[in-house]
Amino acid sequence: MPTAPSAAPDVVLVVDFGAQYAQLIARRVREARVYSEIVPSTMPVAEMLAKNPKAIILSGGPSSVYEEGAPQLDRSLFEAGVPVFGMCYGFQLMATTLGGTVDNTGAREYGRTPLTVTKSGSTLFEGTPEHQSVWMSHGDACSAAPEGFTVTASTNVVPVAAFENDEKKLYGVQYHPEVMHSTHGQQILEHFLYRGAGLAPTWTTGSIVEEQIAAIREQVGDRRAICGLSGGVDSAVAAALVQKAIGDQLTCVYVDHGLMRKGETEQVEKDFVAATGVQLKVVDAQERFLDALKGVSDPEEKRKIIGREFIRVFEQAQAEIIAEAPDETPVEFLVQGTLYPDIVESGGGTGTANIKSHHNVGGLPEDLEFQLVEPLRQLFKDEVRMVGQELGLPEEIVQRQPFPGPGLGIRIVGEVTKDRLDLLREADAIAREELTSAGLDREIWQCPVVLLADVRSVGVQGDGRTYGHPIVLRPVSSEDAMTADWTRMPYEVLARISTRITNEVRDVNRVVLDCTSKPPGTIEWE
């Protein structure tokens, strides 16, 4: 019988006004050990309050509060007795809604800005220095706080850079405390949560596991589910979590699509099964995927083809599992390791563009016959790793570098063929081996190795002219894949990787380093 869900955690709602940092605000709240959810600014206030939030945070956004069509909020939100914290646009919207003044003076502030705290003992700023650096991004400025508010900080340009109303538990700052460039930003946010809203830091990884197990049991009941294992951290943790919830009602399906890295199929078949005891069905679909990808070079089309073929294989596996045990309950659910960054990049965040269709989000076919179970959908990668540790998965699975579900299919720029996959597998294996040998696995978040299949360059090997492919190394450091910077690897490690790849991998005569941050570049090339 399904188990009733445990009591819902105290929730902080992050109201998204189309901000690039909305997901980062939610992340920072969670780092303060308080549960957070993102809701769109278009949600009616009554629906927000129906979620029984213990606090509400208003995000920044690209609009001016005065421009036509700019997002607005009903005044009732500020009269409901729920503590509210406005940031940037959210701060200005609070000011104008409650009778303050926001002017378009033309005096803009972008980037690092000196802030002066004018009331050091305030709820937000107690214990922080009088002068601190914050991250600004605005054109309009608040010149007068609403009645009943105390101005607690200013800059050379903005007379009201923060205000507070302890009686009504309403607070706001003009800057972005959620970004690391605001030197005391996390402390300010925690002051709002703990002191302004009276919340306790009680949300833990154990809480995530407990809540998701209850939710999975309620959703699945006594029916059966299959989970697509890709060999990556996300699908492994999702599978372990669902298995803990419903046991042998879950069958994991590993689709060997021929797009995996060297040795990964063996790792899934042995290490993951040994760690979890899960039922595993392996489907050899290499020929099917290569046939579907034949002649296709466009990255979006590749992602969608791979997503479609995954589902078709899962449907085939579903039919086989039912045929093997026809008297058991139906197989109605598909478990996926979808994360919050997947949703954002696929255009699922409020006001966000479709950067790329992740195979398990924008790449799903419209005639999907499964109900989806996505227990990690609101989590970031580091939170997923913590959940994996809580579930007892081995470190070699939990701490492995992220690997995309479409596999090497999106690390070949050009058509995907067996020969190109074999070539890239060898180059990738050499890079991974050298990074591990150098002890850089934890320092580097991810190191995609990319084959520029449609590009050739002239080289000299064995005293003769060659015309081979370039290989791109893309080492990046990141917290959550929303932003990233390229990793400054030791030159000697780069030299060893380059030498080995050009010596050992056929048809490759050049190795190049991608030193682009995200943004402007994404982590994967496709």
Side-chain angles (χ1 to χ4, degrees):
M1 292 292 292
T3 301
S6 59
D10 290 342
V11 61
V12 173
L13 295 185
V14 177
V15 181
D16 183 2
F17 291 98
Q20 60 177 320
Y21 295 133
Q23 71 283 347
L24 185 55
I25 298 171
R27 174 190 175 80
R28 297 303 184 215
V29 173
R30 294 182 189 187
E31 287 176 358
R33 295 178 57 196
V34 177
Y35 180 65
S36 62
E37 290 181 3
I38 299 174
V39 297
S41 61
T42 53
M43 177 181 285
V45 168
E47 288 186 26
M48 294 182 194
L49 298 177
K51 290 178 171 287
N52 193 30
K54 301 305 180 185
I56 294 174
I57 296 175
L58 310 179
S59 83
S63 303
S64 164
V65 290
Y66 293 124
E67 71 183 45
E68 186 176 353
Q72 300 294 318
L73 270 181
D74 192 277
R75 185 186 177 98
S76 61
L77 179 75
F78 304 110
E79 298 171 343
V82 178
V84 180
F85 186 24
M87 302 176 179
C88 196
Y89 181 83
F91 165 75
Q92 294 180 359
L93 189 57
M94 183 188 293
T96 57
T97 303
L98 296 177
T101 304
V102 174
D103 302 306
N104 189 343
T105 63
R108 302 179 177 184
E109 290 179 313
Y110 294 103
R112 282 191 176 90
T113 304
L115 180 86
T116 300
V117 177
T118 55
K119 189 176 180 183
S120 59
S122 74
T123 296
L124 293 182
F125 291 102
E126 184 175 2
T128 68
E130 179 183 359
H131 300 288
Q132 48 191 274
S133 179
V134 299
W135 190 260
M136 290 283 193
S137 181
H138 68 94
D140 298 343
C142 183
S143 57
E147 185 178 350
F149 283 73
T150 301
V151 178
T152 54
S154 63
T155 72
N156 292 335
V157 171
V158 179
V160 183
F163 55 44
E164 306 180 31
N165 185 326
D166 286 318
E167 181 183 351
K168 295 185 176 181
K169 298 188 180 300
L170 303 177
Y171 307 87
V173 296
Q174 176 60 71
Y175 60 94
H176 289 276
E178 71 274 22
V179 303
M180 64 181 180
H181 307 295
S182 293
T183 52
H184 296 275
Q186 184 68 14
Q187 191 175 356
I188 301 304
L189 177 59
E190 291 179 2
H191 280 173
F192 165 70
L193 296 170
Y194 305 155
R195 305 178 69 207
L199 292 166
T202 57
W203 193 66
T204 64
T205 305
S207 304
I208 301 173
V209 172
E210 179 184 342
E211 292 154 14
Q212 286 303 320
I213 285 175
I216 293 162
R217 287 173 176 166
E218 182 176 50
Q219 180 183 7
V220 176
D222 62 356
R223 292 162 290 177
R224 287 187 287 170
I226 61 176
C227 176
L229 281 180
S230 69
V233 178
D234 309 334
S235 64
V237 173
L241 188 54
V242 174
Q243 196 228 10
K244 191 172 180 67
I246 62 173
D248 60 9
Q249 292 168 240
L250 174 71
T251 300
C252 286
V253 177
Y254 174 71
V255 179
D256 186 0
H257 49 27
L259 308 175
M260 300 300 287
R261 294 185 292 192
K262 191 174 183 177
E264 289 193 312
T265 296
E266 293 76 14
Q267 183 186 46
V268 171
E269 289 186 280
K270 296 176 183 176
D271 297 349
F272 184 75
V273 173
T276 63
V278 74
Q279 300 179 72
L280 180 66
K281 181 179 182 67
V282 179
V283 180
D284 184 351
Q286 296 184 50
E287 190 173 329
R288 176 182 189 141
F289 276 79
L290 282 174
D291 285 347
L293 291 166
K294 188 174 183 179
V296 177
S297 296
D298 179 75
E300 271 293 279
E301 190 177 351
K302 280 197 277 189
R303 285 175 175 272
K304 290 179 178 179
I305 287 171
I306 292 168
R308 181 196 70 210
E309 293 303 316
F310 262 124
I311 296 299
R312 299 288 91 99
V313 172
F314 292 147
E315 289 169 347
Q316 176 186 328
Q318 174 194 36
E320 292 173 359
I321 292 167
I322 291 172
E324 291 164 5
D327 296 331
E328 295 189 20
T329 55
V331 180
E332 297 183 8
F333 298 91
L334 174 63
V335 179
Q336 293 197 134
T338 308
L339 304 193
Y340 188 71
D342 299 342
I343 305 300
V344 173
E345 286 200 333
S346 297
T350 303
T352 56
N354 184 348
I355 308 301
K356 58 179 72 170
S357 295
H358 287 259
H359 76 286
N360 54 347
V361 185
L364 295 174
E366 293 181 2
D367 59 344
L368 181 68
E369 295 182 359
F370 294 102
Q371 296 182 55
L372 296 180
V373 179
E374 297 176 314
L376 312 178
R377 187 180 179 89
Q378 294 298 327
L379 300 184
F380 293 93
K381 179 71 75 173
D382 59 329
E383 293 174 322
V384 171
R385 294 191 197 281
M386 290 189 290
V387 169
Q389 291 170 333
E390 182 77 19
L391 292 168
L393 290 177
E395 287 290 294
E396 55 267 27
I397 292 177
V398 172
Q399 295 300 336
R400 65 171 310 190
Q401 289 186 4
F403 186 61
L408 299 180
I410 58 167
R411 292 184 178 175
I412 294 175
V413 179
E415 182 185 2
V416 178
T417 67
K418 185 178 185 305
D419 285 347
R420 289 174 173 181
L421 285 165
D422 290 342
L423 183 157
L424 181 54
R425 253 189 286 273
E426 292 303 317
D428 176 86
I430 289 169
R432 285 191 291 145
E433 182 180 317
E434 290 298 335
L435 293 176
T436 299
S437 178
L440 295 173
D441 285 345
R442 292 292 183 93
E443 179 181 337
I444 296 175
W445 161 274
Q446 192 174 1
C447 186
V449 177
V450 181
L451 171 63
L452 303 185
D454 289 342
V455 176
R456 286 183 178 270
S457 63
V458 174
V460 178
Q461 291 172 299
D463 294 328
R465 178 187 185 274
T466 61
Y467 196 48
H469 297 291
I471 286 285
V472 180
L473 302 180
R474 173 72 166 136
V476 296
S477 300
S478 179
E479 279 187 318
D480 49 32
M482 298 306 303
T483 60
D485 194 12
W486 68 283
T487 306
R488 277 64 167 175
M489 290 169 53
Y491 290 153
E492 58 271 20
V493 177
L494 287 170
R496 282 199 301 272
I497 294 173
S498 177
T499 299
R500 285 195 58 192
I501 288 177
T502 52
N503 284 349
E504 300 175 30
V505 182
R506 60 179 175 78
D507 293 333
V508 174
N509 62 4
R510 194 177 300 269
V511 175
V512 299
L513 175 67
D514 182 347
C515 55
T516 312
S517 63
K518 175 187 179 181
T522 55
I523 293 176
E524 298 288 348
W525 272 49
E526 293 203 335

